[in-house]
Amino acid sequence: MANNDLHGSVPDTHPVALLLIDVINPMAFPEADLLLRAAVPAASRIAALKRRARQAGVPVVYVNDNFGKWRSDFLQVVEEATCADSKGRPVAQLLRPEPEDYFVLKPKHSGFFSTTLELLLHKLGAQQLVLAGFATNICVLFTANDAYMRDLSLVVPADTCAANTEHDHTHALHTLRTLLKAQTPASDQLRFTPTGVEVRSRAEPAATPPAR
């Protein structure tokens, strides 16, 4: 019989996975200040989305660049991104991974290219992905494209992604919707359920908590 639990190292099973793309980043590139203007407020919304995902039992996977450092590991990437002189520190501190989170280090733009992401998602049972992170028009878009090619359903909350310019951001969202069939609502419209992600319309009231 096939071993379905990777020797116990994948304890979560859920039809949804939340992918956080390149949120742990020292931002050591010339356009970093442009990206940070939108990335810092987006990070607060990503943190809130992550909390809701974990409360619903949705696994969180950090899909992060290795920044060309082939001997690095994820803990080293976190350390560099959160050090005092890192431009990306405000984002990385807010989104620092927790022990129950998963991670995949990627060498290129897509989280699927030459990584274990596809196998991990298969073991988790994920058929629907929620993508958040940076940049909307590069690594988020490339990862979404490869997910779409694997017949995975996509939700990309528009306010949990950022790009260097608003034009780059909105153009990427248009591509995600029209070519990759992704939903791009605001993050507060999402509701994680045991069977998937529901997108609530703006006119629909939030669920009323049960009376105590």
Side-chain angles (χ1 to χ4, degrees):
M1 294 179 64
N3 185 346
N4 292 320
D5 68 356
L6 285 184
H7 305 288
S9 60
V10 181
D12 297 302
T13 301
H14 203 283
V16 180
L18 172 61
L19 305 191
L20 304 187
I21 301 170
D22 287 343
V23 299
I24 306 299
N25 191 327
M27 301 284 183
F29 51 89
E31 304 85 4
D33 290 335
L34 290 175
L35 180 57
L36 281 167
R37 287 187 303 185
V40 171
S44 296
R45 293 185 285 269
I46 294 172
L49 184 65
K50 180 187 174 183
R51 285 193 295 271
R52 288 164 46 207
R54 291 305 307 176
Q55 289 167 1
V58 172
V60 177
V61 183
Y62 283 73
V63 181
N64 221 91
D65 206 303
N66 71 0
F67 304 108
K69 298 178 181 178
W70 293 92
R71 292 192 177 99
S72 65
D73 58 31
F74 191 42
L75 293 179
Q76 182 181 345
V77 173
V78 173
E79 183 178 343
E80 292 179 359
T82 55
C83 70
D85 59 351
S86 166
K87 282 191 173 184
R89 186 181 187 187
V91 173
Q93 287 277 50
L94 186 60
L95 298 173
R96 184 187 289 271
E98 298 167 285
E100 65 269 24
D101 298 328
Y102 302 92
F103 71 89
V104 171
L105 281 180
K106 61 186 178 69
K108 291 288 186 179
H109 306 84
S110 170
F112 288 91
F113 180 75
S114 294
T115 76
T116 58
L117 180 59
E118 185 171 10
L119 176 61
L120 173 59
L121 294 175
H122 173 70
K123 293 298 181 180
L124 291 170
Q127 294 296 316
Q128 187 175 29
L129 303 182
V130 179
L131 272 56
F134 319 119
T136 322
N137 60 323
I138 307 175
C139 295
V140 174
L141 181 60
F142 277 64
T143 301
N145 178 77
D146 282 0
Y148 178 76
M149 295 291 286
R150 289 162 172 78
D151 296 321
L152 295 165
S153 175
L154 292 166
V155 180
V156 186
D159 58 348
T160 62
C161 300
N164 289 358
T165 69
E166 183 62 24
H167 175 267
D168 289 343
H169 177 67
T170 56
H171 182 71
L173 291 174
H174 176 75
T175 301
L176 286 160
R177 286 191 298 269
T178 57
L179 298 184
L180 306 183
K181 307 299 186 290
Q183 299 181 77
T184 61
S187 57
D188 62 3
Q189 292 179 262
L190 300 190
R191 186 167 75 92
F192 294 106
T193 77
T195 58
V197 175
E198 293 181 357
V199 178
R200 192 175 64 242
S201 70
R202 283 297 187 189
E204 183 181 347
T208 303
R212 290 178 178 266

